[in-house]
Amino acid sequence: MERVSVQAALAGAAACVAAEHPCDPRAADTVRHARAAGVAVLRLCRPGWHPRGARRWHVLRRASDLTRTIPPGAHVFAATGREEEAVLRRLRATVYLRRRGGRDAPPGLIAVEGTPPFTIADEMRLFRELGIGWLVLRDAGGEGARPKLDAARALGLHIALIARPALPDAPVARTSKEALRWLRQTLPSDA
């Protein structure tokens, strides 16, 4: 499928709901392009996670901060995107990634096969088997990674949470219902 540019997608639009992944830095482009086109814009973004047990939470501004945060020799389970793999390879640690369908991990990282959904008990068992001391994840929020986050908390693991990228100021909806309400209020009644 051909990818449509943001500018082309906004042509003739009355409103735009930017619903990229919460950690995707391209979301800023959508907001900027909508504003430049004179289109009302709303970000649809689920709430992020909030540190509990602050001594073991390490909120990082960017992935590159992992190299200063995770100690040499640590056993790390990384639940991040491919964008962070280069940084993960630079850690002086044993780093595990979950892969579906037998895909190999990049050099220097170890693949652990698995297919979601996972339960807290599944994740606790895996973390114990691998001797995990650190969980690394992006602040995506939502329920998909919740079991591994809850498992890490229950086991008292360190959690390195990579913050979301800074985005231009724009109204934010946390749910699709809120976004639909905004659209009804924003769009002309004859639209």
Side-chain angles (χ1 to χ4, degrees):
M1 185 169 124
E2 187 177 322
R3 195 175 166 100
V4 176
S5 75
V6 175
Q7 295 97 327
L10 289 169
C16 171
V17 176
E20 290 91 349
H21 187 280
C23 298
D24 187 344
R26 294 175 295 184
D29 294 338
T30 302
V31 172
R32 279 193 289 275
H33 288 305
R35 286 201 175 127
V39 173
V41 63
L42 172 84
R43 288 183 26 238
L44 175 58
C45 188
R46 61 185 173 241
W49 293 309
H50 299 288
R52 284 190 256 162
R55 275 188 20 248
R56 297 209 170 255
W57 276 75
H58 309 268
V59 179
L60 310 176
R61 289 178 49 129
R62 60 189 68 80
S64 61
D65 294 338
L66 289 166
T67 59
R68 291 188 304 278
T69 305
I70 297 180
H75 282 94
V76 177
F77 189 88
T80 60
R82 292 179 186 207
E83 301 83 10
E84 286 82 15
E85 288 176 357
V87 171
L88 293 169
R89 286 195 306 266
R90 290 196 309 266
L91 295 176
R92 295 185 321 241
T94 303
V95 181
Y96 298 90
L97 302 172
R98 185 167 282 133
R99 296 292 195 203
R100 295 182 201 181
R103 289 188 350 221
D104 291 332
L109 306 175
I110 302 167
V112 175
E113 187 161 344
T115 304
F118 302 102
T119 66
I120 296 170
D122 294 335
E123 301 293 39
M124 288 177 71
R125 189 172 25 262
L126 177 66
F127 294 165
R128 283 186 184 120
E129 285 174 14
L130 299 175
I132 300 299
W134 285 80
L135 172 65
V136 174
L137 67 166
R138 297 182 293 174
D139 188 9
E143 296 304 311
R146 172 70 56 195
K148 73 177 62 60
L149 184 59
D150 290 343
R153 285 177 174 153
L155 293 171
L157 305 182
H158 287 275
I159 299 168
L161 185 69
I162 302 166
R164 295 174 176 187
L167 295 175
D169 190 34
V172 176
R174 301 291 183 200
T175 66
S176 56
K177 280 185 180 181
E178 289 177 17
L180 287 172
R181 191 174 320 120
W182 178 85
L183 281 169
R184 280 189 216 102
Q185 294 169 350
T186 302
L187 292 175
S189 59
D190 60 343

